[in-house]
Amino acid sequence: MWQSSPPGSIYDHIRVASFSIGPDGLIEQWSRRAAGLFGMASRDAVGRDPVEAFMPAALRADARRRVAEILDGKEWTGLVPFRTPGGSGAHGLAEIYVMPSETEAGERAAICIVVDVGALRRIETDLAASQAIFGQSPFGFVLFGTDFTVVRANQRFATVFGGTADDHRGRTVSDYLARPEADRLSATLARVLETGDAVTDLQLVGTAPGSADRRHWSMNLYRVHSGSGRPIGIAGLATDVTQRHIAAREAASARRNLALLNEASARIGNSLDLETTARELLDVAVPGFCDLASVDLYQGLLTGEEAAPGSWGRYHQESGSGSAELRRVAQASAVSDALPEVLSGGGVDPRGDTGPPALGSVHRYPFHSPCAVALRTGQVTDVPGDDRGFVHSTLAVPMVAHDIVVGLVQFSRTKGSEPFGTRDRALATELAARAAVCIDNARLYRREHERALILQRSLLPPGAPEAAGLDIACRYLPGNTATEVGGDWFDVIELPGHRTALVVGDVMGRGLRAAVAMGELRTAVRTLALLDLEPAEVLSALDEVARGLGTPGGGERSDGFGGGGGAQWPSRAAHKSREADLSEVYLATCVYAVYDPVTRRCTFANAGHLPPAVVEPGQPAVLLDVPPGMPLGVGGEPFEEVEVELQEGSLLALYTDGLVESRDHPLDEGLEAFRRALAEPSQPLEDVCEHVLTTLDTGHGEDDIALLMARIQGLPANAVGDWRLPRELRSVGRARDLARSQLTAWDLDDLVDTTELLVSELVTNALRYGEGEIRLRLLRDRTLVCEVWDAGLVQPRRRRARDTDEGGRGLQLVGLLSAAWGSRRTPRGKTVWFELALPDGEPAAELSVEQLLSMY
């Protein structure tokens, strides 16, 4: 039995050997294990005295006595030192168990079993260490046999799963884990046993006995072998990682929340449209944060009511009738076909219909519903799940911007998703707040945009402008709703002598301030035009106006503060910052043109604007070479004038850069396309305008577009009477005769008397106060205009005559009898004119007594 033990048995580890002693006290049998232990072959050991062979000399006497006692039949156990024969002389300590025996002849002998004490002590130490590690480990330690039943478990394992360590012997993984997890662990054990490959950090989920809390364990598995290398089981070291899992999940949730907030910052608020902003919020939230979501905004907010902030829902909330009307502007779902049946939040359709609000519908929330409470209190409120249990967690989050509730967003999670926690509530509040700020900004922008649009429209010429000798058509196209109101404008101004001023301008910048600046400049242009200044003089004066508008207080530009030591502006830096900001807004470009229908000549002056286009009959369109000059508001440079004679039927076009320039097309390409679009000027002018706008890329919406087109139709020769009179008294009578004859030829007999009287007054004044030759001109178009020219520079001035004065009442008479009158400078003097309305068949109104007495 001893000699047939397989290699790797326990006897190899503890070094057990045997030999026998014959009746003569000599070694009779010597085992191979003894040969290995003592280093002596059987041929060298058999027949020798064991005392002489192994015992030190000092111990031999006592050893012979012990051997004699053994041969007398006495058992003996003890520790015996020995030395290995040979040159090495190694010493050791053996534990010997001697059992008396008999030979076949009945003689006494002995069988000795020898154990190496050193090897035995090492085994004891290893067992003690193994027991300490196994029993005292703070981790759950379990040893599975080759049949995957528990062979041994430590106390820590038993503490988690109940009972003592011995109670777990023979159990299987199904006794600890639910079936899916048990099957997964069993398959892993089989793989480790078969391949010998260790498995680390195997994640298992289960519940401890007597607890409903889900626990997470991390398990390391490795195969255990015998001394001979034979697999005898699988060892498992289990660690409870529930807290680590919770921490990791919270960290992942925090990272997800930060990522969502970062995405929200990038994606929400890219549009100034309320509905688009609501959809952007849901694009971020679904499915990254929730499975279902919807956004309701107050109906008053969407319709642009100018109620006090926060009062859209106040009446209905305070009266107890529920929330004010809200409109569902956006909804999203990560679950197919689920949205129409959920997220009602207790909404009630105003028409009495029940059920969840449809997209775009107007509804109210009952007073005590969670959604109405959230709107009323401004706090996040939990909404109970639906009866079917499809949605098990919903948050009603008020959208609050600047302490104003603008709407409500609902976030919902369906069955299978984790319910909302504290962190989720905070994230939901932050997402709703960011969207609310963007929506409130969009509301404010829309309000400013509408006001600017109203202001802008009010400053543009109403209807189709009319002018003598011109057929006019105009178009104004605002930018799209995402673009702020611009500062483009055009105007048609009637001037004395049936002349017409055509104006197109563009204030740099956008928004309400640009519209205000445009209105101020347009008003200034009209005022300067009525002074009948030359085009270059108008732009020079307008440049001064623009520079004054671009500085604080409307005064001249200045880099300092002036004297006096009084408090004027907070700081020089603040002053310059605001001045720089305003100066950008009040920079403008402008083309000012004056057309005379009698001569068909047009005088242009340009302040940094695009050149006018002219199309003569049968010719391609050309851009007039008008010196562009500097924009208005820059100052320091004079403006030049260019006078062009236009043929009958020619087409003149003034425009702003929005017509010919866009992000996709450079200016040169736009101007060339504009010239080609003007190739058919013989069509009706309105058709030409439509053709230009449809041909060019005017739908980009990046800038406002102003287009002013005029077809030249000079006054016919028979509509003009022009005479030169010598500087003598008889010219007064001559002027009356000429006027009477011309009006009779025009069938304007009803105006003869008034015209004769007023012409007589103007010619008399020219003789008395003027200089040089006198020129009389009558113009007939929509009205009758009479002009008296002379070389004097002194402008006529109305004054109140005293009772004793014999004169001084002529201009008062002109003012009373004419529809309008005035004077203007000319290159060689001045012109005094008056205008009479053409008769309409009704008798002319007579002057009242008060009007007649006002001259005295």
Side-chain angles (χ1 to χ4, degrees), residues 307-476:
S311 63
W312 291 294
R314 183 175 302 161
Y315 171 75
H316 291 278
Q317 295 282 9
E318 291 179 353
S319 63
S321 61
S323 69
E325 290 185 347
L326 297 106
R327 184 192 305 171
R328 180 146 295 184
V329 296
Q331 56 188 22
S333 171
V335 184
S336 60
D337 302 329
L339 190 58
E341 302 179 10
V342 297
L343 288 178
S344 66
V348 178
D349 192 282
R351 300 182 302 273
D353 300 334
T354 59
L359 182 63
S361 65
V362 179
H363 61 95
R364 291 192 180 102
Y365 290 113
F367 184 80
H368 294 292
S369 66
C371 291
V373 172
L375 289 169
R376 187 164 59 250
T377 62
Q379 302 295 323
V380 181
T381 306
D382 292 311
V383 179
D386 60 351
D387 296 336
R388 299 172 303 163
F390 181 77
V391 174
H392 70 92
S393 184
T394 299
L395 296 178
V397 187
M399 306 178 72
V400 183
H402 311 298
D403 296 328
I404 301 173
V405 178
V406 298
L408 182 78
V409 57
Q410 295 183 66
F411 301 109
S412 295
R413 289 180 178 174
T414 58
K415 188 176 182 180
S417 300
E418 292 187 4
F420 292 110
T422 304
R423 291 180 181 269
D424 295 325
R425 294 171 69 92
L427 177 61
T429 302
E430 180 65 22
L431 289 174
R434 294 195 179 197
V437 170
C438 295
I439 287 175
D440 193 52
N441 290 340
R443 175 185 68 86
L444 296 175
Y445 166 78
R446 185 179 64 181
R447 184 178 64 182
E448 180 178 348
H449 186 273
E450 291 175 351
R451 291 177 177 177
L453 200 60
I454 293 172
L455 174 62
Q456 187 183 49
R457 296 296 187 273
S458 67
L459 296 174
L460 295 175
E466 296 181 356
L470 292 176
D471 182 14
I472 296 178
C474 52
R475 293 290 187 277
Y476 180 84

Side-chain angles (χ1 to χ4, degrees), residues 19-26 50-51 55 62-78 80 96-102 107-114:
F19 63 92
S20 63
I21 300 175
D24 56 359
L26 302 178
V51 176
M55 300 297 291
D62 184 62
R64 287 191 177 94
R65 182 176 56 82
R66 296 289 184 183
V67 172
E69 292 177 354
I70 291 171
L71 293 177
D72 288 340
K74 184 178 182 181
E75 292 185 0
W76 179 79
T77 301
V80 178
I96 299 179
Y97 175 46
V98 182
M99 295 177 292
S101 65
E102 292 182 357
E107 296 178 316
R108 294 185 180 274
I111 297 175
C112 302
I113 298 176
V114 183

Side-chain angles (χ1 to χ4, degrees), residues 7 57 118 194 210 337 511 577 699:
E194 178 182 358
D337 302 329
S577 174

